[in-house]
């Protein structure tokens, strides 16, 4: 059992919290109430960033002390939405939210994952008709191994998990968010994920 704090109480954070609790972990959620994120992060070994990506950097830098020495699992994408509410532009072109977080929080081990799919797939990957791929980006091998085990608890098979390397590789997976609006417009809001076929 691992103590986990999920920051963000929307669909992504809520579904992850439920799934990880069912898997036997001790999960604390944090909404936007003042002090809630700090209190949740202070007692957790792993913190999951499921807050809206546009404001994630400021929110998490404010938790520098609480995040010191912890694993920060970043599942958010930092985008500017278009008129239809779907992602239109990256906030950090040529970089990524995960890189910005790691630079700003050098004593925190940032791992990027679960950001290349619609949220229902994060906790139920086997429901897709084809095998999906989930990616890992991060500098700390031990932190990535811990996150790999968490992914297993969420139903991700070992062969579906692809370690891309260091945190700079997160800029590639975060850029994949630009596929999303086009896929949704062409096929509707049905669960999907990126898959690497070999």
């Amino acid at each position: 059992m691992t103590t986990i704090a999920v920051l963000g109480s929307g669909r992504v954070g809520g579904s992850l919290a439920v799934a990880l609790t069912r898997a036997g972990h001790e999960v604390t959620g944090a909404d936007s109430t003042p002090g809630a994120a700090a209190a949740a992060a202070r007692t957790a070994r792993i913190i999951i960033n499921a807050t809206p990506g546009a404001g994630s950097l400021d929110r998490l830098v404010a938790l520098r002390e609480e995040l010191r020495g912890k694993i920060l699992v970043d599942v958010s994408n930092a985008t500017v939405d278009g008129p239809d509410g779907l992602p239109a532009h990256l906030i950090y072109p040529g970089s990524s939210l995960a890189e910005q977080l790691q630079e700003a929080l050098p004593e925190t081990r940032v791992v990027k994952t679960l950001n290349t799919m619609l949220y229902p797939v994060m906790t139920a990957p086997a429901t897709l008709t084809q095998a999906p791929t989930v990616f890992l980006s991060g500098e700390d091998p031990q932190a990535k191994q811990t996150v790999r085990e968490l992914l297993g608890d969420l139903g991700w098979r070992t062969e579906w998990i692809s370690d891309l390397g260091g945190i700079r590789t997160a800029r590639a997976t975060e850029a994949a968010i630009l596929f999303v609006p086009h896929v949704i417009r062409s096929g509707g809001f049905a669960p999907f994920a990126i898959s690497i076929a070999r």
Side-chain angles (χ1 to χ4, degrees):
M1 182 185 73
T2 302
T3 53
I4 301 171
V6 178
L7 308 184
S9 54
R11 294 176 296 186
V12 173
S15 62
L16 287 171
V18 169
L20 290 168
T21 299
R22 285 179 180 159
H25 297 288
E26 182 181 330
V27 181
T28 303
D31 55 22
S32 58
T33 305
R42 193 174 295 118
T43 58
R45 177 182 172 220
I46 298 172
I47 294 87
I48 297 177
N49 175 40
T51 65
S56 288
L57 185 59
D58 289 341
R59 288 188 186 95
L60 292 167
V61 168
L63 302 176
R64 182 186 307 276
E65 292 305 315
E66 290 82 2
L67 294 174
R68 190 185 305 275
K70 308 285 183 72
I71 296 173
L72 175 62
V73 183
D74 179 32
V75 305
S76 295
N77 289 303
T79 60
V80 176
D81 290 343
D84 58 1
L86 296 174
H89 305 286
L90 300 174
I91 290 178
Y92 305 109
S95 183
S96 64
L97 173 58
E99 289 175 84
Q100 298 294 315
L101 288 169
Q102 188 62 88
E103 182 178 353
L105 302 166
E107 296 181 72
T108 301
R109 295 176 289 168
V110 179
V111 179
K112 189 80 184 190
T113 193
L114 288 173
N115 63 308
T116 56
M117 61 203 69
L118 285 192
Y119 78 92
V121 182
M122 295 179 177
T123 57
T127 58
L128 296 182
T129 57
Q130 300 174 32
T133 303
V134 64
F135 302 99
L136 292 171
S137 299
E139 298 299 324
D140 188 290
Q142 187 177 21
K144 285 195 285 187
Q145 179 57 36
T146 298
V147 175
R148 184 184 289 270
E149 292 166 8
L150 278 187
L151 291 172
D153 291 340
L154 293 173
W156 289 90
R157 299 179 188 173
T158 301
E159 63 270 23
W160 297 350
I161 303 173
S162 178
D163 186 343
L164 296 180
I167 201 67
R168 280 174 60 91
T169 64
R171 65 182 61 179
T173 62
E174 289 190 27
I177 190 68
L178 298 180
F179 274 106
V180 171
H182 306 296
V183 173
I184 290 174
R185 291 185 194 113
S186 65
F189 196 86
F192 70 89
I194 288 178
S195 177
I196 302 299
R198 287 189 170 93

